[in-house]
Amino acid sequence: MNFKNLKEVPFSSSIYIKPKRFTYESKGKNYTWDFIEAKDSVSVLLYHKGLESFVFVRQFRIPLWYHQDNDEFYQKNANMGYTIELCSGLVDKNLSLEEIAREECVEELGFLPKKLEKIGDYYTGFGSGVSKQSFYYAEIDEEDKVAQGGGVDGEQIEAIYVKVCEYESFIKEQIRTPLLDFAYFWFMKHHFKMR
């Protein structure tokens, strides 16, 4: 881990999340439901045509690190707190979803896709807080490289290139979200057969 002085501090407020509590009555009983109101996001599966590879993001996630801290298996893992993810970002600007997706590709990985294909909108976190994730696909090549990447505002993002034929063996040892596997299966069904 490339961080110093990582510690928990008192929580007061956030521009990213808001705790919510609702009460309701059902079948004569009163109930309470606590959840987090969170911002929506965009995610992009990038396929590098020249390298026949996916381009993923590797980054440190404090909530994952916190969760793993109590898990004996992960305490032995050198990648504790690190994930392999799609290029993603919050919907927190007055831009279209496609513009935000393109901007994230440049900020995180340095690529500016010429064309984005919208795959769909998906919802996550039904119990703890729902947010919508808009999922895109883009093909890139070295001519689309316009910046260094690596993230902004303190992000420490590393580009990970994974050949399509090596994805299944690579991913066995990685911590990831279900969206990463969904993206792979979607690609194999809709794009790989055409090659």
Side-chain angles (χ1 to χ4, degrees):
M1 185 180 356
N2 209 7
F3 302 92
K4 291 181 180 178
N5 302 320
L6 177 58
K7 61 184 176 183
E8 185 174 357
V9 296
F11 180 87
S12 57
S13 65
S14 170
I15 60 170
Y16 301 107
I17 61 170
K18 293 179 186 170
K20 298 281 186 180
R21 172 171 286 170
F22 278 74
T23 60
Y24 62 98
E25 185 180 329
S26 177
K27 298 180 181 177
K29 287 187 173 181
N30 292 320
Y31 296 92
T32 300
W33 198 304
D34 297 337
F35 64 96
I36 300 293
E37 180 184 300
K39 293 184 181 292
D40 293 337
S41 62
V42 297
S43 290
V44 185
L45 173 62
L46 289 173
Y47 174 72
H48 193 296
K49 295 180 289 185
L51 300 176
E52 298 181 345
S53 297
F54 300 119
V55 187
F56 297 134
V57 164
R58 180 178 185 267
Q59 66 181 320
F60 180 70
R61 297 291 197 179
I62 287 179
L64 178 64
W65 168 84
Y66 179 81
H67 183 74
Q68 292 175 329
D69 194 39
N70 298 317
D71 190 312
E72 196 174 306
F73 171 79
Y74 288 113
Q75 287 178 355
K76 298 173 186 172
N77 187 334
N79 291 318
M80 191 168 134
Y82 283 87
T83 62
I84 302 296
E85 305 174 18
L86 298 178
C87 176
S88 301
L90 296 176
V91 177
D92 59 356
K93 301 173 184 127
N94 192 20
L95 299 171
S96 71
L97 294 176
E98 192 169 301
E99 288 170 325
I100 292 172
R102 275 198 170 88
E103 189 176 84
E104 291 298 330
C105 290
V106 173
E107 288 177 1
E108 294 188 356
L109 298 168
F111 289 99
L112 180 59
K114 292 181 184 74
K115 180 182 174 188
L116 287 173
E117 179 183 347
K118 177 85 177 270
I119 307 309
D121 293 320
Y122 303 90
Y123 292 84
T124 59
F126 297 126
S128 59
V130 174
S131 63
K132 181 174 78 171
Q133 193 164 38
S134 298
F135 176 37
Y136 293 87
Y137 170 74
E139 294 187 352
I140 54 170
D141 228 322
E142 281 306 301
E143 64 188 30
D144 300 312
K145 187 83 170 169
V146 298
Q148 181 66 33
V152 296
D153 298 330
E155 293 176 317
Q156 295 180 24
I157 290 173
E158 178 187 354
I160 302 292
Y161 293 77
V162 179
K163 292 217 172 272
V164 173
C165 62
E166 296 172 358
Y167 175 84
E168 291 190 29
S169 59
F170 166 81
I171 210 64
K172 285 179 185 175
E173 301 298 318
Q174 306 301 322
I175 298 162
R176 65 203 186 271
T177 68
L179 182 60
L180 199 68
D181 286 337
F182 173 78
Y184 168 72
F185 292 124
W186 176 88
F187 175 85
M188 296 303 285
K189 180 178 180 182
H190 294 282
H191 283 274
F192 191 70
K193 290 180 182 177
M194 298 185 227
R195 299 180 189 290

